[in-house]
Amino acid sequence: MFTLKFILQNIDHFRTRFIITLIAGILVGLAGFLIPAVLAEFTKQSLTSENVIGLIITIIGLYLFSLVMAYVVRGKGEAFAFQYANHIRGKYFHKLTGLSTASLQKVHSGFNLSLINEVSDGVSDILFSIFWSLLPGICVSILFFVFIARESPILAVINGVIISIFVVVS
Protein backbone atom coordinates (compact mmCIF):
# COMPACT_ATOMS: atom_id res chain seq x y z
CA MET A 1 0.00 0.00 0.00
CA PHE A 2 2.86 2.34 0.81
CA THR A 3 4.42 1.62 -2.57
CA LEU A 4 1.22 2.48 -4.41
CA LYS A 5 0.92 5.67 -2.36
CA PHE A 6 4.54 6.54 -3.25
CA ILE A 7 3.85 5.96 -6.95
CA LEU A 8 0.71 8.10 -6.91
CA GLN A 9 2.39 10.91 -4.96
CA ASN A 10 5.19 11.12 -7.52
CA ILE A 11 3.15 10.55 -10.68
CA ASP A 12 3.33 14.27 -11.61
CA HIS A 13 2.92 14.81 -15.37
CA PHE A 14 2.57 11.07 -16.10
CA ARG A 15 -0.97 10.90 -14.66
CA THR A 16 -2.84 10.61 -17.99
CA ARG A 17 -0.54 7.90 -19.39
CA PHE A 18 -0.72 6.04 -16.08
CA ILE A 19 -4.53 6.04 -16.10
CA ILE A 20 -4.73 5.03 -19.78
CA THR A 21 -2.34 2.14 -19.16
CA LEU A 22 -4.27 1.07 -16.04
CA ILE A 23 -7.52 1.01 -18.01
CA ALA A 24 -5.86 -0.93 -20.85
CA GLY A 25 -4.51 -3.48 -18.33
CA ILE A 26 -7.99 -3.93 -16.86
CA LEU A 27 -9.46 -4.36 -20.35
CA VAL A 28 -6.84 -7.00 -21.20
CA GLY A 29 -7.96 -8.99 -18.16
CA LEU A 30 -11.61 -8.42 -19.01
CA ALA A 31 -11.22 -9.63 -22.59
CA GLY A 32 -9.16 -12.62 -21.46
CA PHE A 33 -11.91 -13.61 -19.02
CA LEU A 34 -14.78 -13.03 -21.43
CA ILE A 35 -13.48 -15.35 -24.16
CA PRO A 36 -14.12 -18.57 -22.19
CA ALA A 37 -17.24 -17.04 -20.61
CA VAL A 38 -18.69 -16.33 -24.06
CA LEU A 39 -17.86 -19.87 -25.14
CA ALA A 40 -19.69 -21.21 -22.09
CA GLU A 41 -22.72 -18.98 -22.69
CA PHE A 42 -22.99 -19.89 -26.36
CA THR A 43 -22.74 -23.60 -25.69
CA LYS A 44 -25.57 -23.59 -23.13
CA GLN A 45 -28.02 -23.69 -26.02
CA SER A 46 -27.94 -25.80 -29.14
CA LEU A 47 -25.52 -24.51 -31.73
CA THR A 48 -27.07 -23.41 -34.99
CA SER A 49 -25.30 -21.90 -37.96
CA GLU A 50 -26.36 -18.41 -36.83
CA ASN A 51 -25.06 -19.07 -33.31
CA VAL A 52 -21.75 -20.42 -34.59
CA ILE A 53 -21.21 -17.39 -36.81
CA GLY A 54 -22.07 -15.07 -33.92
CA LEU A 55 -19.77 -17.02 -31.61
CA ILE A 56 -16.88 -16.90 -34.06
CA ILE A 57 -17.32 -13.15 -34.64
CA THR A 58 -17.56 -12.50 -30.89
CA ILE A 59 -14.46 -14.57 -30.09
CA ILE A 60 -12.43 -12.96 -32.87
CA GLY A 61 -13.59 -9.50 -31.75
CA LEU A 62 -12.67 -10.16 -28.12
CA TYR A 63 -9.32 -11.61 -29.12
CA LEU A 64 -8.48 -8.65 -31.38
CA PHE A 65 -9.60 -6.24 -28.66
CA SER A 66 -7.34 -8.09 -26.20
CA LEU A 67 -4.40 -7.80 -28.61
CA VAL A 68 -4.96 -4.06 -29.11
CA MET A 69 -5.18 -3.43 -25.36
CA ALA A 70 -2.08 -5.59 -24.76
CA TYR A 71 -0.30 -3.49 -27.39
CA VAL A 72 -1.29 -0.34 -25.51
CA VAL A 73 -0.01 -1.78 -22.23
CA ARG A 74 3.20 -2.99 -23.82
CA GLY A 75 3.83 0.10 -25.93
CA LYS A 76 2.71 2.82 -23.55
CA GLY A 77 2.95 1.10 -20.18
CA GLU A 78 6.39 -0.41 -20.45
CA ALA A 79 7.85 2.78 -21.92
CA PHE A 80 6.07 4.70 -19.18
CA ALA A 81 7.59 2.47 -16.48
CA PHE A 82 11.15 3.23 -17.61
CA GLN A 83 10.42 6.94 -18.08
CA TYR A 84 8.79 7.07 -14.66
CA ALA A 85 11.82 5.37 -13.09
CA ASN A 86 14.10 7.98 -14.67
CA HIS A 87 11.72 10.70 -13.48
CA ILE A 88 11.93 9.40 -9.90
CA ARG A 89 15.71 9.15 -10.19
CA GLY A 90 16.02 12.74 -11.41
CA LYS A 91 13.46 14.14 -8.98
CA TYR A 92 15.11 12.71 -5.88
CA PHE A 93 18.62 13.42 -7.12
CA HIS A 94 17.64 17.09 -7.56
CA LYS A 95 16.10 17.10 -4.08
CA LEU A 96 19.34 15.64 -2.76
CA THR A 97 21.46 18.26 -4.49
CA GLY A 98 19.20 20.99 -3.09
CA LEU A 99 20.05 20.11 0.49
CA SER A 100 22.35 22.39 2.41
CA THR A 101 25.81 21.11 3.24
CA ALA A 102 24.93 20.74 6.93
CA SER A 103 21.79 18.73 6.15
CA LEU A 104 23.61 16.63 3.61
CA GLN A 105 26.35 15.76 6.10
CA LYS A 106 23.71 14.50 8.56
CA VAL A 107 22.15 12.06 6.12
CA HIS A 108 24.93 11.33 3.64
CA SER A 109 26.12 7.77 3.97
CA GLY A 110 27.87 7.48 0.63
CA PHE A 111 25.09 5.26 -0.69
CA ASN A 112 22.37 7.84 -1.38
CA LEU A 113 22.70 7.66 -5.15
CA SER A 114 22.63 3.85 -5.13
CA LEU A 115 19.53 3.93 -2.89
CA ILE A 116 17.80 6.34 -5.28
CA ASN A 117 18.72 4.10 -8.22
CA GLU A 118 17.48 1.00 -6.39
CA VAL A 119 14.12 2.61 -5.61
CA SER A 120 13.75 3.88 -9.18
CA ASP A 121 14.53 0.51 -10.72
CA GLY A 122 12.19 -1.23 -8.28
CA VAL A 123 9.33 1.12 -9.15
CA SER A 124 9.52 0.16 -12.82
CA ASP A 125 9.24 -3.54 -11.91
CA ILE A 126 6.28 -2.78 -9.66
CA LEU A 127 4.56 -0.85 -12.46
CA PHE A 128 5.02 -3.84 -14.80
CA SER A 129 3.37 -6.04 -12.19
CA ILE A 130 0.50 -3.59 -11.70
CA PHE A 131 -0.20 -3.27 -15.43
CA TRP A 132 0.18 -6.95 -16.37
CA SER A 133 -0.83 -8.90 -13.25
CA LEU A 134 -2.49 -7.02 -10.40
CA LEU A 135 -5.25 -5.10 -12.16
CA PRO A 136 -6.17 -7.79 -14.68
CA GLY A 137 -6.15 -10.30 -11.79
CA ILE A 138 -8.49 -8.16 -9.71
CA CYS A 139 -10.79 -7.71 -12.71
CA VAL A 140 -10.88 -11.44 -13.43
CA SER A 141 -11.49 -12.25 -9.75
CA ILE A 142 -14.45 -9.88 -9.56
CA LEU A 143 -15.91 -11.25 -12.79
CA PHE A 144 -15.34 -14.80 -11.53
CA PHE A 145 -17.43 -14.10 -8.43
CA VAL A 146 -20.12 -12.33 -10.46
CA PHE A 147 -20.46 -15.26 -12.86
CA ILE A 148 -20.49 -17.80 -10.03
CA ALA A 149 -23.00 -15.78 -7.98
CA ARG A 150 -25.23 -15.59 -11.04
CA GLU A 151 -25.41 -19.37 -11.11
CA SER A 152 -25.24 -20.13 -7.37
CA PRO A 153 -24.80 -17.51 -4.61
CA ILE A 154 -23.91 -20.22 -2.10
CA LEU A 155 -21.09 -21.46 -4.33
CA ALA A 156 -19.80 -17.88 -4.64
CA VAL A 157 -19.71 -17.56 -0.84
CA ILE A 158 -17.90 -20.89 -0.51
CA ASN A 159 -15.34 -19.82 -3.12
CA GLY A 160 -14.92 -16.49 -1.32
CA VAL A 161 -14.24 -18.28 1.97
CA ILE A 162 -11.74 -20.65 0.32
CA ILE A 163 -9.91 -17.81 -1.40
CA SER A 164 -9.87 -15.79 1.83
CA ILE A 165 -8.36 -18.72 3.72
CA PHE A 166 -5.79 -19.17 0.95
CA VAL A 167 -4.80 -15.47 1.08
CA VAL A 168 -4.55 -15.45 4.88
CA VAL A 169 -2.53 -18.67 5.02
CA SER A 170 -0.17 -17.71 2.23
Side-chain angles (χ1 to χ4, degrees), residues 129-169:
S129 296
I130 288 172
F131 295 148
W132 284 113
S133 302
L134 181 67
L135 289 177
I138 291 171
C139 176
V140 167
S141 298
I142 291 170
L143 287 172
F144 173 74
F145 282 110
V146 167
F147 272 74
I148 288 178
R150 205 175 76 186
E151 297 296 324
S152 170
I154 294 170
L155 188 60
V157 170
I158 292 171
N159 279 323
V161 169
I162 291 171
I163 288 175
S164 299
I165 291 170
F166 175 74
V167 168
V168 169
V169 170

Side-chain angles (χ1 to χ4, degrees), residues 40-83:
E41 289 296 318
F42 269 93
T43 55
K44 281 184 177 179
Q45 34 186 302
S46 61
L47 286 175
T48 62
S49 60
E50 296 88 25
N51 287 351
V52 170
I53 292 171
L55 174 64
I56 290 171
I57 290 171
T58 304
I59 297 297
I60 289 172
L62 283 170
Y63 187 70
L64 289 176
F65 180 74
S66 173
L67 288 176
V68 169
M69 291 298 108
Y71 176 78
V72 169
V73 172
R74 181 158 311 274
K76 302 293 184 194
E78 291 184 3
F80 160 74
F82 290 118
Q83 291 169 355

Side-chain angles (χ1 to χ4, degrees), residues 115-127:
L115 289 174
I116 290 171
N117 285 333
E118 189 174 326
V119 167
S120 299
D121 293 338
V123 165
S124 66
D125 293 338
I126 290 168
L127 287 173

